[in-house]
Amino acid sequence: MISLSDKGRKTFQLLLLFILLYAAVSEAGSTFVVAGGPGLKSQRQAPKRTMVSKGSTKPAPLPKTSPSPFGVVLLSSTGSQQTLEQDLAFIKGMGIQWIRIQPDWTRLQPEKGVMDWSLTDRTVKEARKKGLSILFTLGYTPRWASAYSDSNETDVWNKNPPRDTDTWKKYVEILSRRYGQDVAHWQVWERTGAQFFRGSEKDVADLLRATAQTTNKVNPKLAVALPEDGKINLSSINTVYVYGGLPDFEVLSLYPFFEKPEQMVRPLQTLENEILRERKPPKEIWFSGLGWNAHPVSGPLRDPVVSEDEQAKYLVRGMVLALSQGVSRIFWHTFRDNMEGPYQSQSGSGLVRTDGSERSAALAYRNLISLLEGKKYSRQALWGPHLHGYLFLEGPRSVLVAWSDRTPAKLPATQGISLGSVVDMLGNKHDSASSIDLSDSPIFIVAPESELEKLLALRPDPPPAADPDYSGANNVSVVLGEQAEETGLYTGRYRQRESGTVKLKQCGGSYGWSTMVNEKKSSIFFEIDDTFLYFVNGHFEAEIEVDVYGNTTSRKMGFNIGYDSMKGFKFTPWQWVEPGDGWKTYTFRIHDADFSDTFSDFRINALGSEEDVCVRSVKVRKRSWRSPYWRYIRSASAFPLPPLR
């Protein structure tokens, strides 16, 4: 028999062998290839652990971040070190304190185990040297890690989530350990719309949770930001909350790419009142991209191009409106025009052009920062619709920012009010006058708070006319003829877009609007007045009534309704048009409408019809649910429920 002491000796030897094997495996598993990078050799070596040293449980301190709300997006660049330094110096000189950068995963880790730090290292190093705070945007899956790595289409494997969250976690951990002492805020993907991210809202929530778990392990104080797919998509944000992304982020990042800045106010207020108020809200709301193109770009994301003067006006108005609605940080998209690379990285909205020359927007941003930095937003003037006045306080140098987004107006009889100075959006000072003109170009009025309060009490001349209010209406409608007769249902604005082109056609003795399916123009777009239906979220059932002319040919004619639902864009079942002369009426009931999309709320879609569809009129009604309990269940659900019978 083996003695007890022999057993103990063998046990000790086995334990020692296990420890040695474990150490060897751990060391082998912690090596990877480093390519490029300043001061780093291209050889196998242990990762640079910048946050927690081996055996340490105390995370390194977070970088100091600026309290300033003003930032800019710095798109990835392969330019020279000199260009990078010049751009960052220009940004700092404007008074901007934050940059958002996107270390593309595809470029950072082109192969499993191979890291190329060169571009990101020098960008972070130079930004921190100049005292700039950084928001990191994670995303764009390399082919080797993608759930669709077998696809030959870059847009497929690059924009889909990784095949498993463990791969994503390892990537996030490598980055957060390397840059955690320089970067305190980490955003999961750039945007979640289909042009940027092909996964579902559940995939977004899963990546969000995985990122929060990983950064929390590295340093519990690192902040995680959740993006949305653009234009403050309320239904998408709501769905991510339902899927349990709620506790896993500190910042909600929005992308308010609207035609005009004032269009962002309703969705921001709805977000606060309809979604966040019922749940634990994030600590902060940021705009990770606010911008208007002053130069056309290619690709399917072609936004309307505005003049450079309009771009500057919209910058000031957008920034001020965001601050007034509680947005705590705003990144202008972008610093410099970028006409190269894939369309999602293109931008014609730069503060400077590709050659480095300044646009008016750069002057306007510099002036805005110089006048509002450090001031606290107080309240809004109650001058009436489309007249804007926003008060920012700082004792004797308080500022009122004012403009009209529609008809010019005056603030009369300013005698007796001591105004320090009136500054236009580009920083030019103007003499105080007996009245103040309000136009679409914002002005800054600098004076003591008490004097600006007197200005807020004035009444504009002429008083602005109120907008139509359809909140109490039974329906909204449009009659489509030589001139569209719009009563709370709008379609004219979409005819300016190529996809919304229609043909005026005489059908049965009266005019209607016809699709042009042979020219691939098969849709007629509609927008419902927001006072009638907006972010429906189960509160009502929508009923859409369409008058079309009968099918007088031997070919098949039909259509359906594409609409903005609480679960993204959907289509109703197909409706064939009955044969014969005369107008036919078809009704569609939609139980899961959203109608807060900013492109269009719904469209008549004839793609799939052999003949063009001629439409005379459209009417939308809202129906209350029979049971308040049922309505509550519907509004709380992220999943479509069957319509009531």
Side-chain angles (χ1 to χ4, degrees), residues 197-337:
F197 184 72
R198 298 287 179 88
S200 65
E201 283 88 353
K202 182 180 183 301
D203 291 324
V204 175
D206 289 344
L207 291 179
L208 186 71
R209 190 176 298 108
T211 304
Q213 291 169 352
T214 305
T215 56
N216 185 67
K217 182 173 66 173
V218 174
N219 189 330
K221 293 184 179 180
L222 292 178
V224 177
L226 165 72
E228 50 102 19
D229 73 358
K231 298 188 176 178
I232 313 182
N233 190 316
L234 299 173
S235 60
S236 178
I237 296 169
N238 185 63
T239 304
V240 171
Y241 267 83
V242 171
Y243 273 121
L246 167 63
D248 299 314
F249 66 96
E250 290 79 21
V251 176
L252 177 58
S253 287
L254 305 177
Y255 289 79
F257 292 137
F258 295 97
E259 291 187 13
K260 291 189 176 181
E262 290 74 24
Q263 292 174 307
M264 73 175 66
V265 174
R266 185 183 292 273
L268 280 172
Q269 293 176 344
T270 304
L271 174 65
E272 173 66 30
N273 297 329
E274 296 283 333
I275 298 177
L276 301 183
R277 182 171 292 179
E278 301 299 322
R279 302 174 171 91
K280 180 184 176 182
K283 293 179 182 178
E284 296 182 81
I285 294 177
W286 293 8
F287 281 180
S288 287
L290 174 71
W292 283 265
N293 279 336
H295 187 287
V297 298
S298 63
L301 295 182
R302 294 189 298 267
D303 291 319
V305 176
V306 300
S307 69
E308 294 196 1
D309 183 58
E310 285 178 312
Q311 184 193 42
K313 294 174 183 177
Y314 289 177
L315 182 149
V316 174
R317 286 155 54 177
M319 293 271 179
V320 171
L321 287 166
L323 294 171
S324 76
Q325 297 299 315
V327 178
S328 54
R329 189 144 292 118
I330 310 156
F331 294 85
W332 178 261
H333 191 285
T334 61
F335 170 68
R336 183 191 290 267
D337 281 354

Side-chain angles (χ1 to χ4, degrees), residues 249-563:
F249 66 96
E250 290 79 21
V251 176
L252 177 58
S253 287
L254 305 177
Y255 289 79
F257 292 137
F258 295 97
E259 291 187 13
K260 291 189 176 181
E262 290 74 24
Q263 292 174 307
M264 73 175 66
V265 174
R266 185 183 292 273
L268 280 172
Q269 293 176 344
T270 304
L271 174 65
E272 173 66 30
N273 297 329
E274 296 283 333
I275 298 177
L276 301 183
R277 182 171 292 179
E278 301 299 322
R279 302 174 171 91
K280 180 184 176 182
K283 293 179 182 178
E284 296 182 81
I285 294 177
W286 293 8
F287 281 180
S288 287
L290 174 71
W292 283 265
N293 279 336
H295 187 287
V297 298
S298 63
L301 295 182
R302 294 189 298 267
D303 291 319
V305 176
V306 300
S307 69
E308 294 196 1
D309 183 58
E310 285 178 312
Q311 184 193 42
K313 294 174 183 177
Y314 289 177
L315 182 149
V316 174
R317 286 155 54 177
M319 293 271 179
V320 171
L321 287 166
L323 294 171
S324 76
Q325 297 299 315
V327 178
S328 54
R329 189 144 292 118
I330 310 156
F331 294 85
W332 178 261
H333 191 285
T334 61
F335 170 68
R336 183 191 290 267
D337 281 354
N338 178 31
M339 299 301 147
E340 298 177 355
Y343 65 81
Q344 73 267 16
S345 66
Q346 290 186 356
S347 172
S349 57
L351 298 173
V352 302
R353 305 175 186 89
T354 52
D355 63 2
S357 58
E358 290 186 50
R359 284 199 172 101
S360 298
L363 299 174
Y365 201 1
R366 184 184 289 110
N367 180 57
L368 174 88
I369 294 172
S370 70
L371 291 170
L372 295 189
E373 184 69 86
K375 294 178 173 59
K376 183 180 179 181
Y377 173 70
S378 174
R379 68 186 184 92
Q380 178 182 356
L382 301 178
W383 292 332
H386 306 290
L387 297 183
H388 301 265
Y390 300 91
L391 179 60
F392 294 82
L393 300 180
E394 192 187 48
R397 284 190 55 80
S398 295
V399 175
L400 179 68
V401 191
W403 72 88
S404 168
D405 67 55
R406 194 167 289 182
T407 306
K410 289 181 181 292
L411 293 179
T414 57
Q415 298 94 335
I417 302 178
S418 179
L419 302 179
S421 60
V422 178
V423 182
D424 67 24
M425 69 174 182
L426 299 181
N428 303 305
K429 290 187 177 182
H430 299 266
D431 295 333
S432 300
S434 59
S435 64
I436 292 176
D437 294 325
L438 298 180
S439 69
D440 63 345
S441 183
I443 57 172
F444 299 80
I445 305 167
V446 184
E449 177 186 350
S450 58
E451 300 303 306
L452 294 177
E453 289 286 354
K454 297 176 185 176
L455 203 59
L456 291 175
L458 296 178
R459 292 293 173 261
D461 181 28
D467 289 330
D469 186 344
Y470 295 95
S471 56
N474 293 323
N475 63 76
V476 292
S477 62
V478 60
V479 178
L480 305 175
E482 293 181 87
Q483 296 292 328
E485 299 175 19
E486 300 174 333
T487 309
L489 185 59
Y490 313 112
T491 189
R493 58 182 290 206
Y494 300 109
R495 296 187 67 183
Q496 301 171 8
R497 295 177 179 259
E498 184 178 355
S499 58
T501 305
V502 295
K503 177 173 60 179
L504 184 66
K505 183 178 180 180
Q506 197 168 33
C507 305
S510 59
Y511 282 106
W513 284 9
S514 173
T515 59
M516 294 183 285
V517 293
N518 290 334
E519 299 177 34
K520 297 183 179 180
K521 298 172 182 177
S522 56
S523 296
I524 306 176
F525 297 92
F526 299 88
E527 180 181 356
I528 301 169
D529 194 278
D530 290 341
T531 62
F532 184 71
L533 284 174
Y534 184 82
F535 191 60
V536 182
N537 197 21
H539 296 296
F540 296 97
E541 182 182 55
E543 188 177 272
I544 300 177
E545 182 181 285
V546 184
D547 282 352
V548 303
Y549 200 76
N551 186 0
T552 58
T553 74
S554 59
R555 293 155 58 88
K556 291 184 177 180
M557 177 193 296
F559 69 102
N560 61 3
I561 303 293
Y563 65 98

